[in-house]
Amino acid sequence: MHAKSPSHAPRRSARCRRIQRSPNEGCTHGRYLREKTSIWSGIVRTYITTESVAQPDRFDHWVHEMSRVFAGLDTRRVSEAPFRGIATHGSVGPMLLNSISAAPLQIRRSARLCAQYEEDFYKVALQISGSSVVEQGGAYAPLRPGDIAICDAARPYTFTYDNDFRTVLLMVPRPLLPVRPETLAQVTARRIPTHEGVGAVVFPFLRSLGEQDRDCVGLAARSLMDGTVSLLTALVLEKLDRPAPHDTMMLRIRAYIEQRLSDPALAPDTIAEAHGISRRYLYKLFAAEELTVAGWIRSRRLERCAQDLANPDSADQTIGMVAARWGLTDRRHFGRMFKSVYGATPVEFRRQALTGVAAA
């Protein structure tokens, strides 16, 4: 499945509240439960089930309800057997997390749907039970329990499940993975076994993350995202025959930036000098990923600030202290940048996030 990104992203400051809809409220039939919280204060969960729906209506109900959460997909039955389905949709920071158990079906994202619903995610699929076949860009791979596959959601793909199945799907924003799209294309729609190597670590980690029902707040949510991205990067690089030099360099540069976000003097010149490259080549590396050096530093600092503002353990620290800790020494400029990205001032964002944590 391909999940909708939050319609307000990156303005991620909805207050925490729980909504229980009755069978006749907001949907045609069945049960629908959604919990919302700050994007940085926890794992948001949406539950969809066909359990209380009459059998003849189940598949239509499934497609209808899933379309509220998953965009740009064509869902078809591949069996006349009685249909059933249960899905959980959540998020950890900007990553979207889905656990799905259902009867046989096919999920297709066509070129037309890609153009109509533009998405900037990589889709990581874990086959928990049953089997499937993934297709993208001429590549074809059968998946069995314990396998992983990666797809680029910006390009057409198909998943076909010929029997009852269970899968965990993780949608990772492209900019989070420090690998060029053309490089990652070498491993898309390929079977990645997980009995050894990095896969043996990644599979149980993502499976447990997909099964997590308990809220994960503040620093823990951020740490989970960072750990997930690091593991997936290692998995991709392990499967590449020979990582391109620019991908290896970008990994080093991003790690260098991450370790020095607190330094107000962090700048393209110092980064280029530290890696023995010209400033022009540094700009070229980031431009290849449709990024800028300054923009990347700014976004990472703002995300770190948002993390601290949503963390109850930092509630006694002033806005200026939080900003300065991540290299942003001009409080007024910080406030304008923060609001332009998150849709709220730092004070408003903190109040909403901490109110959400208290209510959870």
Side-chain angles (χ1 to χ4, degrees):
M1 295 290 173
H2 185 54
K4 286 183 181 177
S5 56
S7 60
H8 57 286
R11 300 190 173 192
R12 302 159 174 156
S13 56
R15 293 183 62 178
C16 178
R17 55 198 179 96
R18 188 181 297 269
I19 303 173
Q20 177 76 57
R21 295 185 180 176
S22 65
N24 297 317
E25 181 183 354
C27 60
T28 55
H29 34 231
R31 294 198 301 256
Y32 188 75
L33 172 65
R34 175 174 294 168
E35 177 178 320
K36 294 182 179 179
T37 186
S38 164
I39 197 74
W40 281 121
S41 67
I43 295 178
V44 189
R45 295 288 173 181
T46 299
Y47 301 91
I48 298 172
T49 178
T50 61
E51 181 182 347
S52 63
V53 181
Q55 183 57 238
D57 300 326
R58 283 191 173 185
F59 185 73
D60 289 341
H61 167 75
W62 175 262
V63 173
H64 173 75
E65 292 299 325
M66 293 294 277
S67 69
R68 296 170 176 257
V69 177
F70 300 95
L73 293 174
D74 178 18
T75 304
R76 304 180 182 184
R77 297 188 70 167
V78 296
S79 169
E80 294 303 318
F83 186 81
R84 61 163 190 84
I86 299 174
T88 303
H89 169 63
S91 65
V92 179
M95 299 187 305
L96 307 176
L97 189 65
N98 315 285
S99 178
I100 299 170
S101 177
L105 50 78
Q106 182 184 77
I107 305 299
R108 181 170 173 264
R109 184 164 166 82
S110 65
R112 179 183 62 81
L113 290 172
C114 286
Q116 185 177 355
Y117 299 92
E118 295 184 9
E119 295 291 351
D120 201 23
F121 289 91
Y122 292 121
K123 176 177 182 175
V124 182
L126 284 69
Q127 193 73 35
I128 306 299
S129 65
S131 61
S132 65
V133 173
V134 57
E135 300 174 70
Q136 183 169 56
Y140 169 100
L143 304 179
R144 299 290 182 263
D147 290 340
I148 293 177
I150 301 174
C151 283
D152 184 348
R155 299 188 291 120
Y157 66 82
T158 301
F159 276 84
T160 303
Y161 303 90
D162 287 325
N163 44 43
D164 288 0
F165 70 95
R166 186 170 165 227
T167 184
V168 170
L169 305 175
L170 179 69
M171 308 300 296
V172 182
R174 278 170 172 255
L176 290 184
L177 283 183
V179 180
R180 292 160 59 95
E182 55 266 35
T183 301
L184 193 134
Q186 298 177 35
V187 299
T188 54
R190 301 290 197 277
R191 172 180 173 266
I192 302 177
T194 61
H195 61 279
E196 62 182 3
V198 178
V201 178
V202 173
F203 190 90
F205 174 78
L206 293 183
R207 177 175 180 172
S208 64
L209 194 62
E211 294 172 345
Q212 179 65 255
D213 285 325
R214 187 171 165 224
D215 281 343
C216 172
V217 300
L219 290 172
R222 176 69 212 195
S223 296
L224 274 176
M225 192 199 78
D226 288 345
T228 302
V229 170
S230 295
L231 285 172
L232 289 175
T233 302
L235 180 68
V236 169
L237 293 179
E238 181 187 56
K239 297 305 174 185
L240 293 173
D241 292 334
R242 179 177 295 178
H246 44 64
D247 291 320
T248 303
M249 178 63 75
M250 278 298 286
L251 283 172
R252 291 171 52 199
I253 291 172
R254 288 199 186 196
Y256 180 90
I257 291 173
E258 202 69 22
Q259 294 166 6
R260 291 165 177 80
L261 289 175
S262 61
D263 181 4
L266 182 65
D269 284 339
T270 58
I271 296 169
E273 183 180 356
H275 293 84
I277 59 177
S278 68
R279 181 173 59 178
R280 182 178 178 181
Y281 184 62
L282 176 67
Y283 289 158
K284 183 178 179 180
L285 288 173
F286 276 80
E289 298 186 12
E290 299 182 354
L291 300 169
T292 66
V293 182
W296 179 255
I297 294 172
R298 181 171 57 251
S299 67
R300 298 301 297 135
R301 283 174 167 165
L302 290 176
E303 287 186 18
R304 290 296 189 181
C305 290
Q307 168 196 347
D308 286 354
L309 292 172
N311 182 11
D313 293 337
S314 302
D316 60 339
Q317 299 173 6
T318 67
I319 300 297
M321 291 172 62
V322 171
R325 178 161 58 248
W326 298 110
L328 300 169
T329 56
D330 185 333
R331 179 174 172 177
R332 289 187 177 180
H333 183 56
F334 164 66
R336 289 193 295 270
M337 287 195 304
F338 192 93
K339 186 173 182 179
S340 70
V341 173
Y342 290 93
T345 67
V347 173
E348 293 167 343
F349 180 91
R350 168 179 269 178
R351 180 172 60 249
Q352 293 169 349
L354 296 181
T355 299
V357 171

